[in-house]
Amino acid sequence: MKTASLTLTGLLLATSALIAPGVAAAQSQPAPAAGVQSPIQTQEPEETQVDEVIVLGRYIPEPNRESSEVAAFLTTEDLERTGDSSAAAALTRVTGLTVVEGRFIYVRGLGERYSSALLNGSPLPSPEPLQRVVPLDLFPSSILESVTVQKSYSADFPGEFGGGVIDLRTVDAPREPFFNFSASIGANTETTNEESLIYYGSRTDFTGFDDGTRDVPGTIALAFGSGQQINRANFSTDELQVMGQSLVNAPLRLLQRETTPVNFGFDVAGGLSSDSSIGTLGLIGVAGYSNNWSTRRGFQEEGQFSGEVMVPVTSKAFESNQNDLQLNLLGGLSLTNQDHELKWTNFYVRSTTKEARTSAGPDLSAGGAVLRDDYTEWFVRQLFSSQLAGEHLFMDGALEFDWRAAFARTSRDAPYESRFQYGVNAAGDYIHNPSNLISFSELDEDVVSGGADVSYALPLSDIREAVFSLGVAYTDTTREATRRDLQLAAVTGLTDEQRESRIDYLFSDFNINPTTIELRQVSGTNGAGAYEAGLEVAAVYAQVDAEIIPLLRTTLGVRFEDSRQTVTPRDLFGGMSTFPATELEEQYYLPSGTATWNFAEDQQLRLGASKTIGRPQFRELAPQSYIDPDSDREFTGNPFLVDTEILNLDARYEWYFARQQYLTAGVFYKDLDKPVESVVVLTGDQRQQSFLNAPKATVYGAEVEAKKYFEWPDAGSSFIANKRWLVQANYTWSTSDVQVDADDVVFTQGGGGAPEQASFFIADGSRMQGQSDHVANLQLGWEDDTARSQATIIVNYVSERITARGAGAAGAREPDYVQDPGVFLDFVFRKDFDYAGRELGVALELRNLLGTDYDEFQELGNKIRINNYDLGSSATVSLTARF
């Protein structure tokens, strides 16, 4: 007879099962006569054999029960409740996650480089010059069925894992046909109906597509293709004049003011399924368009030591008006039968940003003189992903074979990225400076990936099993990035009349000639204008997931990765690059193990340990300089970076005391060897941000999360009695410590790869970049099934975090750049109703009700406003029709 293993509840149930027949027999027998022995007393007890009785996981939700790891799950219900428009916004509600720049997710205080994003299990390319991870604002919530954030590592995921892996799952074909249409309109207190900067651009800018106005002019495109630098050494003055006059003038250079309109958007979704002789055929389609405006008015400063305190030496007021337009399309086909499923999923998104901005004030680089810089920009980010995947069951489901193959392409195109500078004359009026720049940059990145997994379930008893898994994965990522900078330079100097003229008059065809203004190419030599990069990773893993001991589930695995990463600077004019190519070839064995003890029917304890890695991103290895439009800071790479190795430890207690209700608490610890950190480097009066490997760092903390519904059916008020009330909260405390000993060295681009003292760049005991001590979320709301309504108050708090290391200076080091995200208060209300025989839904979303601003600063005696502006409060109303 097998040994019975029971929880307390299981023991009571088993005992009841054994004694119940005897009780029933006793009740059915007549009472014996006096002096007569009862037949029950003389009967020998019948032997009862119990194979194995185990009661566990009674209330544990399906995804939590199936997952062997520490993970968080966002469902369709969660996405609808918070009303977040993108995956990035929705993930800010998850325990320990914060969003940076509205696009990138930090998990447990580790920057975006330590997290990876997958779409239906396949890796994605990035259109961002500074990041290899894809920005999650590109994924509207309308295409998502669920999001999984796995915080403890398992060998079936890629080895680049620090904070966690985010797996976005797109919607599938429905069982019942449907068609939905929704429209929204919104406003912001800082932007809508305010006089803001604009520039004309082209007639079709409102669609997110240019009508050809921003195409590289033919004569300049031929010059780019010739491999010759545009200057008098390679082209005649007549050719230079034709090229200069071919550039679009007033529509792309002249800043104007106009009242900013409202935000609006549309979404359409539909799907159906049909049974056939080979299985169920499914079709799903989603399309969306949004047009949003955001105006920022604030300050950008740079500080410098004055004695033992910092004082602002560059202080500029700036204004920016940004029009973000996004078009997304999702299409999926599926074929499903009892044992097999095939899916073909295609996703396309185009995100366009049109921005006009200006900044003015004293500038240290000009000796403290007042300068004004005007910018006109157009950034187009595109992502296309196509995935074919299959799931197949054999041997009555004991053997499972899954596979996937995907191709994804992303691009970033920034044509006519312009900057024109002004000085101040004796009368205090702005006049043109010789400094200007017109840039054309392109970035293309492709990812070809595939993988296959085989798993076999070996029964260990009637209800326990061991699942053995083997898998292979391959990813080939390639990137090409090019930037060409042009300047309209004065040949012999400008007259006062010319410098005081309007910008489109100054750079009109009349003034572009061999004696007044001439076109020149000012970058692209020595490999600083372009680079090619690649990352090839081949991996194989083995894993066993077994409940060898009843109620104790263990998952043990190991992954082997063979990788080769290269970054090769390229001279645009055929010369030899002064920057060497970077090549990182590494092989890693990455073990992982998790144990889950289901010690009660609705409670479990998880323990996990693993080793993972973090690779430098392409841009961090490339020497090409880049101006970040969000911060107006210049970035340059460091080809001497190496991989980061990470030890991960996790423990979490989980109590699922009712359906959709739970309490979890956990701790985590991470040890990082050679983590990549961003630093500010001084070159004369110019500041650049670059990257280096800090010697060592640790991150550890604790997380707690709870979700509880309350109902008061006997309450006197019908408003209270008819509703189910929600309280959901999570809190993460964490701390980090960068360890720098006196003899530790780092290798930087500025130092030419020679060892430099680490303490010059990083202070021992300082926090890691991006880590916040406190992250908290709170949701308070109600659901009313009778009234078909739902309301939620949402609070998000993130404490200060370091965005960049302060620059090293002789005898001292500047304080770090710090951002204070603060508290955000939102309110979301939804209500469904019927009208004219049609089901409709209306939603009201109020965001940033406290008016929290963006605040990045340095502080030592004085507060230096590195980047500070108001975000404003916003309101959005949407209407959905369901057919």
Side-chain angles (χ1 to χ4, degrees):
M1 183 173 66
K2 296 181 182 179
T3 303
S5 177
L6 306 173
T7 63
L8 176 60
T9 305
L11 181 61
L12 294 175
L13 290 173
T15 305
S16 300
L18 291 174
I19 67 174
V23 173
Q27 291 175 344
S28 64
Q29 293 290 337
V36 179
Q37 187 178 10
S38 169
I40 296 179
Q41 295 173 347
T42 59
Q43 213 171 19
E44 290 293 324
E46 184 179 352
E47 183 178 352
T48 302
Q49 179 173 326
V50 178
D51 259 0
E52 187 172 21
V53 179
I54 298 177
V55 178
L56 72 164
R58 180 178 176 185
Y59 293 119
I60 298 176
E62 193 67 25
N64 302 79
R65 183 189 301 145
E66 290 182 352
S67 173
S68 61
E69 306 298 328
V70 175
F73 304 92
L74 283 180
T75 64
T76 303
E77 177 187 341
D78 297 323
L79 296 172
E80 290 178 352
R81 174 180 292 280
T82 58
D84 296 307
S85 60
S86 69
L91 285 167
T92 60
R93 320 300 179 191
V94 176
T95 310
L97 271 63
T98 59
V99 63
V100 177
E101 297 177 12
R103 294 175 288 174
F104 302 107
I105 295 297
Y106 284 23
V107 183
R108 291 175 165 176
L110 293 174
E112 78 283 347
R113 68 169 58 84
Y114 297 111
S115 300
S116 58
L118 307 175
L119 184 64
N120 297 321
S122 293
L124 292 165
S126 173
E128 296 296 321
L130 289 174
Q131 284 85 15
R132 190 167 68 241
V133 63
V134 65
L136 295 182
D137 65 324
L138 291 179
F139 300 91
S141 57
S142 58
I143 72 160
L144 299 176
E145 182 177 67
S146 64
V147 182
T148 299
V149 182
Q150 186 168 307
K151 299 180 183 179
S152 63
Y153 177 69
S154 57
D156 53 339
F157 277 109
E160 274 195 89
F161 182 103
V165 62
I166 299 166
D167 193 8
L168 308 171
R169 292 287 170 175
T170 56
V171 291
D172 285 335
R175 294 182 180 180
E176 299 293 334
F178 80 96
F179 179 79
N180 294 338
F181 174 80
S182 65
S184 64
I185 187 171
N188 178 275
T189 56
E190 289 292 317
T191 303
T192 310
N193 204 35
E194 297 288 333
E195 290 289 330
S196 302
L197 289 174
I198 64 159
Y199 71 96
Y200 177 76
S202 78
R203 295 170 299 173
T204 57
D205 282 0
F206 70 95
T207 66
F209 292 83
D210 177 78
D211 66 359
T213 299
R214 295 179 178 86
D215 291 348
V216 180
T219 55
I220 296 178
L222 290 173
F224 288 165
S226 72
Q228 300 292 316
Q229 187 171 4
I230 299 176
N231 56 32
R232 287 195 175 191
N234 299 309
F235 296 91
S236 68
T237 55
D238 289 342
E239 290 174 319
L240 294 176
Q241 179 175 335
V242 171
M243 283 188 275
Q245 292 177 350
S246 69
L247 290 169
V248 177
N249 188 12
L252 301 183
R253 296 174 185 165
L254 183 62
L255 292 184
Q256 305 174 66
R257 288 195 175 274
E258 189 174 281
T259 302
T260 306
V262 297
N263 304 325
F264 64 92
F266 306 97
D267 285 288
V268 178
L272 55 86
S273 295
S274 176
D275 293 331
S276 69
S277 59
I278 58 175
T280 301
L281 295 169
L283 173 66
I284 186 72
V286 180
Y289 168 81
S290 63
N291 188 324
N292 297 315
W293 296 82
S294 57
T295 299
R296 300 172 177 175
R297 299 178 181 89
F299 297 90
Q300 292 175 338
E301 297 180 334
E302 293 181 1
Q304 197 176 70
F305 276 110
S306 176
E308 296 183 354
V309 300
M310 295 283 292
V311 295
V313 290
T314 295
S315 183
K316 294 187 175 183
F318 78 94
E319 180 181 348
S320 163
N321 191 29
Q322 182 173 304
N323 187 199
D324 293 303
L325 307 107
Q326 187 172 102
L327 173 68
N328 62 82
L329 302 167
L330 174 77
L333 293 172
S334 62
L335 174 62
T336 307
N337 59 32
Q338 184 174 355
D339 296 321
H340 305 281
E341 183 177 43
L342 294 174
K343 290 183 180 180
W344 183 31
T345 306
N346 296 277
F347 174 63
Y348 169 78
V349 60
R350 178 185 174 95
S351 177
T352 303
T353 297
K354 178 182 180 181
E355 183 174 10
R357 58 194 170 101
T358 185
S359 65
D363 194 308
L364 176 63
S365 63
V370 174
L371 296 179
R372 192 184 94 192
D373 292 284
D374 290 349
Y375 302 83
T376 59
E377 295 160 331
W378 173 266
F379 304 110
V380 179
R381 298 178 296 160
Q382 294 188 110
L383 170 66
F384 170 73
S385 172
S386 182
Q387 184 199 60
L388 189 62
E391 298 180 8
H392 311 277
L393 300 178
F394 305 95
M395 301 173 59
D396 295 327
L399 180 65
E400 182 173 351
F401 174 60
D402 300 338
W403 58 272
R404 62 199 173 277
F407 170 77
R409 167 169 290 175
T410 189
S411 65
R412 179 186 185 272
D413 187 20
Y416 279 97
E417 188 179 348
S418 301
R419 177 178 69 88
F420 293 92
Q421 191 174 86
Y422 300 81
V424 177
N425 62 14
D429 298 323
Y430 285 111
I431 59 175
H432 290 282
N433 267 2
S435 177
N436 63 75
L437 208 62
I438 303 170
S439 303
F440 294 85
S441 63
E442 294 179 346
L443 184 152
D444 296 288
E445 184 169 306
D446 294 345
V447 173
V448 177
S449 65
D453 307 274
V454 178
S455 62
Y456 175 71
L458 176 67
L460 300 178
S461 73
D462 291 342
I463 59 173
R464 292 187 293 114
E465 64 183 13
V467 179
F468 298 89
S469 302
L470 291 173
V472 296
Y474 175 79
T475 302
D476 186 16
T477 306
T478 57
R479 172 181 281 201
E480 292 186 8
T482 303
R483 181 182 177 92
R484 293 178 169 90
D485 294 328
L486 305 176
Q487 187 179 75
L488 292 167
V491 178
T492 58
L494 300 175
T495 66
D496 290 343
E497 182 180 1
Q498 290 169 333
R499 294 187 67 187
E500 293 169 1
S501 62
R502 210 171 74 176
I503 189 170
D504 52 333
Y505 295 162
L506 174 62
F507 296 110
S508 64
D509 290 352
F510 177 80
N511 287 328
I512 297 178
N513 57 60
T515 61
T516 309
I517 295 175
E518 186 174 84
L519 184 68
R520 299 172 186 170
Q521 192 169 359
V522 295
S523 71
T525 59
N526 302 324
Y531 68 91
E532 297 173 351
L535 173 62
E536 187 176 10
V537 181
V540 59
Y541 79 90
Q543 183 171 276
V544 59
D545 184 354
E547 191 179 339
I548 299 175
I549 303 174
L551 304 179
L552 181 62
R553 177 183 181 181
T554 57
T555 304
L556 301 174
V558 62
R559 185 182 188 91
F560 172 75
E561 287 197 351
D562 185 358
S563 65
R564 180 174 180 266
Q565 183 171 197
T566 60
V567 175
T568 305
R570 181 166 57 89
D571 191 303
L572 292 175
F573 312 122
M576 292 297 294
S577 171
T578 58
F579 299 104
T582 301
E583 182 172 336
L584 297 175
E585 275 194 82
E586 300 286 354
Q587 294 81 37
Y588 295 99
Y589 286 95
L590 305 173
S592 65
T594 305
T596 303
W597 178 28
N598 191 184
F599 60 88
E601 64 180 5
D602 53 5
Q603 300 177 62
Q604 56 190 18
L605 177 68
R606 300 184 191 270
L607 301 174
S610 62
K611 177 184 176 183
T612 57
I613 57 171
R615 297 185 178 96
Q617 303 182 77
F618 292 141
R619 185 62 194 84
E620 295 171 347
L621 290 165
Q624 184 189 54
S625 294
Y626 167 75
I627 302 294
D628 178 18
D630 287 328
S631 62
D632 281 336
R633 291 200 288 269
E634 184 177 3
F635 287 78
T636 187
N638 177 8
F640 304 104
L641 297 177
V642 297
D643 293 351
T644 303
E645 298 187 33
I646 309 168
L647 171 67
N648 309 279
L649 301 175
D650 283 274
R652 186 164 82 165
Y653 161 77
E654 301 171 359
W655 177 24
Y656 300 94
F657 48 83
R659 183 177 178 271
Q660 297 181 334
Q661 302 177 63
Y662 52 81
L663 171 67
T664 68
V667 294
F668 60 90
Y669 173 87
K670 296 179 182 294
D671 184 274
L672 297 92
D673 183 40
K674 296 182 173 60
V676 175
E677 291 278 279
S678 175
V679 296
V680 176
V681 180
L682 293 176
T683 306
D685 290 333
Q686 300 294 322
R687 292 169 180 261
Q688 287 185 335
Q689 271 189 238
S690 190
F691 309 91
L692 54 76
N693 287 106
K696 288 183 71 66
T698 57
V699 181
Y700 59 91
E703 299 174 333
V704 62
E705 181 178 15
K707 183 179 181 181
K708 172 67 177 173
Y709 285 104
F710 297 90
E711 295 184 68
W712 293 284
D714 298 328
S717 169
S718 60
F719 179 81
I720 297 176
N722 293 337
K723 294 174 174 57
R724 187 166 71 147
W725 298 82
L726 168 70
V727 177
Q728 182 172 355
N730 62 66
Y731 168 72
T732 301
W733 170 84
S734 64
T735 187
S736 60
D737 181 18
V738 180
Q739 298 144 22
V740 181
D741 295 333
D743 56 349
D744 283 331
V745 296
V746 295
F747 302 88
T748 69
Q749 167 71 13
E756 299 176 83
Q757 189 172 357
S759 59
F760 181 79
F761 298 93
I762 304 172
D764 180 49
S766 59
R767 286 188 298 162
M768 284 192 69
Q769 178 188 343
Q771 182 259 323
S772 295
D773 289 347
H774 308 282
V775 178
N777 290 281
L778 173 66
Q779 295 183 38
L780 303 173
W782 49 258
E783 299 172 355
D784 190 331
D785 292 338
T786 303
R788 299 161 66 185
S789 61
Q790 182 186 80
T792 312
I793 297 172
I794 306 167
V795 183
N796 173 255
Y797 169 70
V798 180
S799 64
E800 294 181 354
R801 59 189 171 211
I802 295 173
T803 56
R805 300 292 177 193
R813 193 180 66 83
E814 293 182 357
D816 296 330
Y817 288 18
V818 174
Q819 183 199 353
D820 183 10
V823 180
F824 284 82
L825 174 64
D826 301 337
F827 174 75
V828 179
F829 173 78
R830 298 181 178 278
K831 181 175 175 57
D832 292 340
F833 59 96
D834 295 327
Y835 180 77
R838 188 72 60 200
E839 183 181 358
L840 303 177
V842 64
L844 170 65
E845 301 174 18
L846 305 177
R847 305 291 183 183
N848 195 19
L849 293 173
L850 299 179
T852 302
D853 61 0
Y854 184 93
D855 188 16
E856 184 183 15
F857 59 91
Q858 282 179 298
E859 194 163 21
L860 185 62
N862 297 295
K863 183 175 181 178
I864 311 299
R865 296 172 295 182
I866 302 297
N867 200 12
N868 180 278
Y869 54 86
D870 292 329
L871 294 170
S873 303
S874 61
T876 303
V877 178
S878 62
L879 180 66
T880 301
R882 303 180 181 92
F883 299 87

